[in-house]
């Protein structure tokens, strides 16, 4: 057994060496891509990886950057912090990538970004929206998306000003940083404007039965004007469906976790009167031309429409890095960082990106979407008046 | 004569320590960060698996919840070592007496191990009365409870949010000193009268009882020592990864440690080391291979998940064909090997 | 809602979720009773059945036909699982079998990730399953009623099967003493395969009800249900069929009770309470509510 195992080991090692040997370097620019393709985080991350690959393909078809082709060097993070740290080290040291990007969750980002920083290259997270994140890795960690405080504030202001809501029922997923922050910031801004929280309840990521929470809400004497449910893309459909099936008709609001076709597919008619804040209107008919083009290309490449908001963010992140490399005029990591920080009004399918001096969270507008007749429609573009401190 | 046998006895450990030090020194100086990381990961896993062996292998108390102790160790140590200015930001609700504390690595790790041990004692007092699959079920329950508490005890753990900013204190050296210490302790316990008691209780509880072995006490003692070392490993892991959240300490991690233990062989310390080494290296190779590669003109696309599938198949194969693991409960006889080498050399010299 | 109505509504919630747990727990209990194997991969049979159903529906098959095929697929998957992974382990230590079932889970989940992509997919259930019956303030989802009825019918059928048919009686004999059953000339392999087939069939049915309730499926969907079923069967007494059913309803009730009655600050600790109760039960009634108080011989 032992000898046989040893043979297997040696054979595997040989295969890998053969595989790694034949890589040429001169005519490509290597960018490191880290997403969880398996494990608990895969349903969030896989669409981002698709979006990123699509962007790289488009850039290369159009002649690449600085006359060179872009090569996305990718590892599976396996939803495991130790594996991610190792993969980030490989990207920085062995593959000598000029920049890294990836992940939709703060832990995962934090397992990789310090390694990138140590090697002097930037890490751009495509989907982790915690506004506290950049400060954890000074100088090198960038967000490609807005912070949760911005979208939650936009949601709260819209709820007060346009929905005329005074009372709210709050349901928060206690198992995710994203939903915790979203709920916290929403509450802060909503209460600040004179609103009240009637009842605050919670659940755990992956819960499938919400009947107890619903019954508790219905047992409440004062009916809230609206519901704010902070949930991830895998749970939103189920939650909205079960609340609606139980006869809850008030407007439901949430964050960019709702930006997935699953919302309408799973909740059906229940998705009507649902509002959410997100990056842009991802609709094959009503979106901007860039969005339409992106959705069509995604559909052609992967045979499904973009699964959630992360697909577009992955796509924009690669375009953002390519643009920085182009403006830097070289693939030198230092120059790339400088150019990235100077990014201004770069159009993308998830909104234009601008980094203010000294900030590594882009200034992006927030789009409020209303689900109407089974499609996402634009309710309002919001720039929040006041944003809670991260 | 007496002097020389004592010296002879010291030769094998001395040789091993020297060899280990040489390998680590070489890795530290020559190898790149990637290889160093793998060596550190192997070291931490050796502690986790060898200490699990102390409980699961020797006493037959098959705990599925040891990752809970790893989590306790990781969080406890990180709370103690987190720099004061980060505590103010990341853990603002910490009680006052903890706010100003930023301990060095060693005391924090020892305290973390002790806390894990105390929890193990409290839990073990009742759990050690259970048998067979029930104890696995109950320890699994313990793991879920730890998970739930970590996710909700915001004041100390930040809840589900990332616990970041832990100083990167873990090095090849301190990890492997702990690893060598763990292996030595577990091996000595295994060879001691106490170790024989534990195994007797594992193999035939009633016979052991009749010979005056207190089954519950020996189980509890093993469980607590094992939890201490697992807590230490948790601290090392935390100061190696430097940012984590409760979900790092759940079923996936639990299963990966148990796999290494079972493949190496329950009840064998050398088996634990071999199991860790084989699994870590193999999954590392497979992880690199599943990204796809070219053999000549043939291009294999990436198949993410293939490495997990192959490891699962391998595990079942080992259980079917080598049910007792690769080492089958035995130890590598280092003294015997050294003696044989010495003998063959002497034989050659004579010829 | 008045407090009586509230209580009644929570009771309905508990019974309907308990019914799903019961159908799952039975499958686990049956296999454990005979083999002493805690089959964690049982949950993945739910996933197999649901994906087959969904893919056939996408190909244009009507729901009932696709659902039937899904249940069959899950049954076949269970049989293959038994033949390939568990039969070679006959007589192995129960821990070895438990760990093997973890491996089977990892295998199936990653295979599903590769074959079906890791993202969730909507599971379109027919309108009947989405109807709601209103009685005063009370609302009973059609799906909940169906789940309760299906569970009752299947449990009754299973009871008859185990008590009346030869295979069923052989199954009970095997669960009392595998070796003695073999000595009596019972084809143990056949009995075990039957137990797996029945359990997997039930898992297939649960898969449909579960997916219709949740509205979407994903490769890791089997993990939560199997954990619940596992808790349920331990509460009822590992290996006891009536115990598994009772345990399932107790668990359903407990969950709803804790989520519904605990103050909001404590509800996140719900699962911790459930597992603490489980451990307490193991200590004081190690063989569960209904488990035989099996004494050691002599």
């Amino acid at each position: 057994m032992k000898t046989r195992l040893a043979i297997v080991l040696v054979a595997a090692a040989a295969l890998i060496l053969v595989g790694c040997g034949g890589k040429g370097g001169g005519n490509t620019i290597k960018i490191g891509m880290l997403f969880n393709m398996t494990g608990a985080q895969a349903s969030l991350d896989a669409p981002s990886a698709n979006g990123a690959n699509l962007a790289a393909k488009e850039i290369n078809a159009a002649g690449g950057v600085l006359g060179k082709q872009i090569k996305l060097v990718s590892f599976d993070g396996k939803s495991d912090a130790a594996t991610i740290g190792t993969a980030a080290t490989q990207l920085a040291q062995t593959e000598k990538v000029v920049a890294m990007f990836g992940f939709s969750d703060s832990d995962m980002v934090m397992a990789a970004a310090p390694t990138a920083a140590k090697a002097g290259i930037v890490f751009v997270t495509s989907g982790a929206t915690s506004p506290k994140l950049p400060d954890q890795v000074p100088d090198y960690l960038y967000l490609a998306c807005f912070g949760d405080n911005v979208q939650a504030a936009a949601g709260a202001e819209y709820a007060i000003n346009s929905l005329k809501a005074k009372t709210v029922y709050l349901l928060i997923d206690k198992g995710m940083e994203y939903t915790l922050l979203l709920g916290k910031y929403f509450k802060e801004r909503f209460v600040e404007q004179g609103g009240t929280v009637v009842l605050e309840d919670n659940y755990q990521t992956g819960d499938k039965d919400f009947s107890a929470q619903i019954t508790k809400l219905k047992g409440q004497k004062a009916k809230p004007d609206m519901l704010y449910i902070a949930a991830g893309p895998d749970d939103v459909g189920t939650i909205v469906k079960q609340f609606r099936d139980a006869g809850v008709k008030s407007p439901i609001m949430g964050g960019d976790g709702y930006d997935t076709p699953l919302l309408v597919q799973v909740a059906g008619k229940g998705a009507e009167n649902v509002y959410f804040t997100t990056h842009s209107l991802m609709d094959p008919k009503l979106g901007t031309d860039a969005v339409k083009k992106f959705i069509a290309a995604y559909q052609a490449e992967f045979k499904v429409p973009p699964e959630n908001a992360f697909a577009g963010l992955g796509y924009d992140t690669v375009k953002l890095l390519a643009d920085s490399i182009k403006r830097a005029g070289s693939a030198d990591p230092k120059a790339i960082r400088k150019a990235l920080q100077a990014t201004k009004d770069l159009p993308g399918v998830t909104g234009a990106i601008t980094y203010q001096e000294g900030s590594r969270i882009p200034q992006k507008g927030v789009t409020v979407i209303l689900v109407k007749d089974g499609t996402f429609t634009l309710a309002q573009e919001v720039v929040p008046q006041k944003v809670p401190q991260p | 004569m007496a002097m020389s046998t004592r010296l002879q006895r010291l030769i094998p450990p001395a040789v091993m320590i020297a060899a280990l030090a040489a390998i680590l020194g070489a890795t530290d100086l020559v190898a790149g960060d990637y290889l160093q990381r793998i060596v550190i990961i192997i070291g931490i896993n050796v502690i986790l698996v060898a200490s699990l062996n102390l409980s699961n292998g020797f006493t037959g108390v098959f705990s599925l919840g040891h990752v809970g102790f790893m989590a306790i160790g990781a969080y406890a140590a990180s709370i103690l070592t987190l720099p004061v200015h980060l505590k103010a930001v990341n853990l603002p609700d910490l009680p006052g007496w903890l706010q100003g504390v930023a301990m060095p690595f060693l005391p924090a790790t020892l305290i973390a191990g002790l806390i894990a041990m105390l929890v193990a004692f409290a839990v073990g007092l009742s759990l050690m009365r259970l048998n067979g699959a029930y104890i696995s079920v109950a320890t699994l329950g313990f793991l879920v409870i730890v998970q739930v508490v970590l996710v909700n005890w915001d004041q100390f753990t930040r809840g589900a949010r990332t616990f970041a900013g832990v100083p990167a204190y873990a090095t090849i050296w301190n990890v492997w000193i702990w690893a060598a210490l763990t292996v030595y302790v577990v091996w000595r316990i295994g060879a001691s009268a106490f170790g024989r008691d534990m195994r007797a209780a594992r193999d035939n509880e009633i016979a052991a009882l009749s010979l005056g072995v207190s089954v519950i006490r020996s189980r509890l003692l093993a469980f607590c020592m094992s939890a201490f070392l697992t807590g230490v490993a948790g601290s090392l892991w935390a100061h190696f990864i430097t940012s984590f959240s409760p979900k790092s300490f759940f079923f996936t991690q639990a299963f990966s440690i148990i796999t290494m233990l079972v493949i190496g062989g329950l009840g064998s310390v050398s088996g634990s080391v071999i199991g860790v080494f084989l699994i870590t290296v193999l999954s590392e190779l497979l992880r690199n291979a599943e990204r796809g590669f070219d053999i000549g003109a043939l291009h294999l696309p990436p198949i993410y998940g293939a490495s997990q599938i192959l490891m699962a198949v391998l595990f079942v194969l080992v259980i079917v064909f080598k049910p007792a693991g690769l080492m089958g409960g035995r130890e590598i006889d280092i003294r015997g090997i050294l003696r044989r080498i010495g003998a063959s050399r002497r034989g050659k010299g004579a010829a | 809602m008045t407090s009586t109505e509230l209580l009644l509504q929570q009771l309905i919630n508990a019974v309907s979720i308990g019914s799903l747990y019961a159908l799952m727990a039975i499958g686990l209990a049956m296999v454990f009773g005979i083999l002493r194997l805690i089959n964690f991969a049982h949950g993945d049979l739910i996933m197999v059945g649901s994906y087959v159903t969904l893919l056939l529906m996408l190909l244009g098959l009507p729901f009932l036909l696709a659902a039937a095929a899904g249940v069959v697929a899950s049954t076949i998957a269970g049989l293959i699982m038994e033949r390939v992974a568990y039969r070679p382990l006959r007589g192995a230590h129960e821990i070895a079998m438990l760990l093997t079932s973890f491996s089977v889970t990892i295998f199936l989940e990653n295979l599903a990730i590769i074959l079906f992509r890791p993202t969730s997919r909507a599971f379109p259930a027919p309108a009947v399953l989405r109807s709601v019956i209103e009685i005063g303030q009370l609302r009973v989802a059609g799906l909940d009623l169906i789940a309760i009825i299906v569970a009752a019918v299947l449990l009754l059928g299973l009871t008859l099967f185990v008590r009346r048919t030869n295979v069923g009686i052989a199954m009970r004999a095997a669960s009392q003493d595998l070796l003695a059953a073999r000595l009596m000339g019972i084809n143990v392999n056949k009995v075990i395969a039957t137990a797996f087939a029945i359990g997997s069939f039930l898992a297939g049915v649960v898969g449909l009800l579960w997916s219709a309730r949740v509205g979407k499926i994903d490769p890791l969907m089997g993990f939560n249900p199997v954990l619940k079923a596992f808790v349920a069967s331990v509460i009822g007494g590992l290996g006891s069929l009536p115990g598994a059913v009772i345990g399932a309803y107790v668990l359903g009730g407990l969950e709803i009770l804790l989520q519904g009655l605990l103050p909001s600050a404590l509800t996140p600790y719900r699962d911790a309470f459930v597992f603490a109760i489980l451990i307490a039960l193991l200590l004081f009634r190690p063989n569960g509510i209904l488990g035989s108080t099996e004494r050691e011989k002599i």
Side-chain angles (χ1 to χ4, degrees), chain A residues 38 74 78 89-90 107 174, chain B residues 162 245 287-288 290-291:
Chain A
T38 56
S74 167
K78 301 201 184 298
T89 310
Q90 283 177 291
D107 305 6
K174 285 279 277 181
Chain B
T162 310
S245 73
R287 191 177 63 79
N288 283 296
E290 71 178 356
R291 301 166 58 225

Side-chain angles (χ1 to χ4, degrees), chain A residues 233-296:
Chain A
D234 284 316
D235 295 329
V236 285
T238 309
I239 297 178
V240 170
K241 168 179 146 66
Q242 290 191 10
F243 272 79
R244 291 298 194 226
D245 282 353
V248 178
K249 296 194 181 72
S250 323
I252 296 178
M253 186 179 243
D256 59 336
Y258 284 51
D259 200 350
T260 159
L262 276 175
L263 174 61
V264 173
Q265 286 168 9
V266 174
K269 286 208 181 69
E272 299 297 299
N273 206 15
V274 169
Y275 296 81
F276 61 89
T277 50
T278 189
H279 314 272
S280 65
L281 177 59
M282 275 288 163
D283 188 89
K285 288 188 210 80
L286 305 171
T288 60
D289 287 342
V291 167
K292 281 185 210 160
K293 212 182 109 218
F294 166 67
I295 294 176

Side-chain angles (χ1 to χ4, degrees), chain A residues 191-214:
Chain A
V191 171
E192 195 177 46
Q193 294 175 94
T196 18
V197 178
V198 174
L199 176 66
E200 188 174 336
D201 210 343
N202 48 63
Y203 72 98
Q204 293 288 332
T205 318
D207 277 1
K208 301 291 178 237
D209 179 60
F210 301 90
S211 56
Q213 284 92 336
I214 295 167

Side-chain angles (χ1 to χ4, degrees), chain A residues 37-38 76 78, chain B residues 286-293 299-310, chain C residues 110-111 113-115:
Chain A
M37 307 303 288
T38 56
D76 176 9
K78 301 201 184 298
Chain B
L286 288 173
R287 191 177 63 79
N288 283 296
E290 71 178 356
R291 301 166 58 225
F293 44 79
H299 175 70
L300 259 81
I303 308 175
Y304 297 116
S307 65
Q308 286 102 312
I309 288 185
L310 284 172
Chain C
N110 283 293
L111 193 65
I113 283 179
I114 293 172
L115 291 179

Side-chain angles (χ1 to χ4, degrees), chain A residues 168-172 183 186-187 197 199-202 227-228:
Chain A
V168 69
Y169 162 82
L170 210 55
L171 180 66
I172 296 173
F186 177 87
K187 186 174 160 187
V197 178
L199 176 66
E200 188 174 336
D201 210 343
N202 48 63
L227 288 67
Y228 191 84

